Amino acid sequence: MLRITNKGVTRGVTRTSLRSFSVSNMAAAHAEDDVLFSNRDLARVVTLNRPKKLNSLNTSMVSKIAPRLVEYSKSSVANMVLLNSNSPKGLCAGGDVAECASQIKNESNPGYASDFFQQEYNLNYLIATYPKPYVSFMDGITMGGGVGLSVHGPFRIATERTKLAMPEMDIGFFPDVGTTFFLPRLDDNLGRFYAMTGKVMSGVEAYYAGFATHYVTSDRLDQLATRLANLQPPALNDQKPADNHSSTVSSQREFFAQVNSAIEEFAATSIDENPLTVEQQKTIKNAFSKNTVEEILASLDQDGSDFALQTKKTLMTKSPTSLKVALELMIRGAENTIRAQLELEMIAATNIMHLRPEQNDFVLGVSHKLIDKVKEPAFPNWYKHPNVSEISKEHVEKLLDSSIHTAKLSHPLLQKFFGVNYKEYPHHMGLPSAKQVEDYVTGNDGSNRSYLPTPAEVVKHFQRATNNKVGVQQKVERILAIHGESSKYDNKYVSWVK
């Protein structure tokens, strides 16, 4: 059995780490086929199978997936995990929040929602720290809880059918499932923009933004799965016991690189341009750099472009409480570890679930959009705080206060699983990030280079580093258009501008 720690790989996953999943909810017995588990040569396949609900996650599904993942982590013949769907429409439309809201609305069992979120976030943490390659096929609708099942893994495949979003603002909630850790690590405040607007991305946009690490057309996914299922990890060389740790870590790193190369064999050779323009990204970078919702709205007003004003109009339809809670969570998420941030989300979710129904934007939003399915108006009149200016910092702080309802949760809030924690994801398999380009331009990439590169040199460097990954030229040129300044030495060389 493998346990990955911050110091490396050791043995053992305890049975107690599974307790909350193996016996937590008897509902699992009533939906035996909502998740399918199968072997595909050396891969283990987790297939979401609740098509009538667009694979919306519920307690039954979560309580089945987690123990299987731990079981696979211990198996010497299970080399990786593939996550896919039996629904022709998509991977997963999110969590089954309608049931959560119904339980609160009827005041029959408000603890149901808290229990569900705790189990779901434990699963997200398990995926985020998984010791083996975990590959998610984000083909079709991938939203909310489906994003949580995907973005914490190292391999995330978008297709031409992908429709990806975090739409929680529309239901009076906040972007959860660990995304308030993931989103702040996207380039130039894109994470805040996508979270607060709930914008639905195509597969191409998700790929450029960093939600997806690879772009493969949907007709090649089955062939790709076959290729991955036959991959063998490199054999460990015979070494002294003292060398086992470094050998195992090196072997793991090599196998992840091998999986990455195999996926690239099936990646599209060309993709469309990023749907966001350079000017739109500059607007996002500037406006969403502000640390209050009021300042973001004012910045969009000051910008005055059609895109900025439409973005402001979109924000004004969302729950004001949700906007403020989401922004504060992302501010904290930029500094927190993955474990601390998931625990903070769990606290916020629990406090919201225990608000009285007549004061609860979550109940109102879910009832309006998912239970009653009201078409007009598209958004409800949000409870208590119709304007963001009426929501005090103290109100937001109270919703993030761990002393209020945490006693209603199982402790520890997150199980230990593999003992891993971090502030930055350990694997980066997608397109270059703005931070990586910045480090190269400024010579802080370990090269100790003291001269400025030309824009062409920057592009060629990342093409070589990624084996000419599809879209890398467009992505690097976009980053330089936003951050590069070519005023040095006859405009031939690029310097970095924050």
Side-chain angles (χ1 to χ4, degrees), residues 401-435:
D401 187 348
S402 63
S403 67
I404 301 178
H405 291 297
T406 52
K408 300 180 185 295
L409 297 169
S410 301
H411 290 270
L413 298 181
L414 290 176
Q415 300 298 327
K416 189 173 183 179
F417 296 117
F418 311 105
V420 177
N421 202 11
Y422 50 74
K423 284 195 171 183
E424 297 293 337
Y425 288 102
H427 303 284
H428 187 95
M429 303 296 180
L431 290 171
S433 67
K435 181 62 169 62

Side-chain angles (χ1 to χ4, degrees), residues 54 256 309 336 367 444:
L54 287 176
F256 275 69
L309 296 179
N336 273 343
S367 297
N444 292 321

Side-chain angles (χ1 to χ4, degrees), residues 119-373:
Q119 293 199 51
E120 185 181 25
Y121 298 175
N122 266 274
L123 176 57
N124 300 139
Y125 179 57
L126 172 59
I127 293 168
T129 58
Y130 205 64
K132 295 182 178 182
Y134 177 95
V135 185
S136 54
F137 290 1
M138 302 188 297
D139 187 33
I141 295 170
T142 305
M143 298 184 181
V147 176
L149 290 178
S150 305
V151 296
H152 302 300
F155 304 103
R156 313 180 295 273
I157 300 172
T159 75
E160 76 284 359
R161 296 173 1 103
T162 298
K163 294 180 180 180
L164 190 148
M166 292 300 295
E168 288 75 13
M169 295 295 129
D170 291 352
I171 57 169
F173 200 46
F174 60 85
D176 63 331
V177 292
T179 60
T180 59
F181 178 87
F182 173 84
L183 293 165
R185 286 159 179 78
L186 297 182
D187 293 343
D188 298 324
N189 305 309
L190 282 174
R192 292 184 177 188
F193 167 74
Y194 286 121
M196 297 173 74
T197 63
K199 183 178 188 291
V200 179
M201 288 165 269
S202 65
V204 167
E205 188 170 351
Y207 179 60
Y208 279 120
F211 286 86
T213 59
H214 299 80
Y215 188 88
V216 179
T217 56
S218 58
D219 62 337
R220 303 202 74 191
L221 292 179
D222 190 61
Q223 293 173 288
L224 171 58
T226 299
R227 174 78 170 93
L228 293 174
N230 284 282
L231 290 180
Q232 285 271 17
L236 294 179
N237 297 324
D238 292 332
Q239 296 190 16
K240 297 177 182 179
D243 296 328
N244 283 345
H245 162 68
S246 59
S247 177
T248 303
V249 171
S250 176
S251 175
Q252 183 195 47
R253 188 181 304 115
E254 186 178 342
F255 187 44
F256 275 69
Q258 185 180 342
V259 173
N260 184 56
S261 295
I263 298 175
E264 290 293 352
E265 294 172 15
F266 292 82
T269 55
S270 64
I271 57 174
D272 295 335
E273 291 292 325
N274 191 334
L276 287 177
T277 69
V278 170
E279 290 307 313
Q280 288 171 343
Q281 276 199 239
K282 287 181 177 179
T283 293
I284 292 168
K285 174 179 176 291
N286 179 52
F288 287 86
S289 67
K290 313 303 187 233
N291 284 333
T292 69
V293 178
E294 291 90 338
E295 289 175 310
I296 290 172
L297 295 173
S299 179
L300 292 169
D301 254 339
Q302 185 177 7
D303 180 292
S305 65
D306 290 344
F307 174 76
L309 296 179
Q310 182 57 51
T311 299
K312 179 188 175 183
K313 183 178 179 181
T314 298
L315 293 177
M316 296 297 288
T317 66
K318 312 302 182 184
S319 160
T321 301
S322 293
L323 288 173
K324 287 211 164 182
V325 169
L327 182 57
E328 181 60 27
L329 281 169
M330 286 187 284
I331 290 170
R332 298 190 191 187
E335 303 298 327
N336 273 343
T337 64
I338 181 69
R339 184 183 181 95
Q341 192 61 20
L342 275 163
E343 289 179 335
L344 183 60
E345 286 187 4
M346 197 181 305
I347 290 162
T350 300
N351 288 338
I352 289 171
M353 294 307 110
H354 283 83
L355 291 173
R356 293 187 60 79
E358 65 273 13
Q359 299 176 331
N360 197 321
D361 274 356
F362 172 74
V363 172
L364 178 63
V366 173
S367 297
H368 187 93
K369 294 193 78 73
L370 303 179
I371 298 176
D372 300 332
K373 298 182 179 179

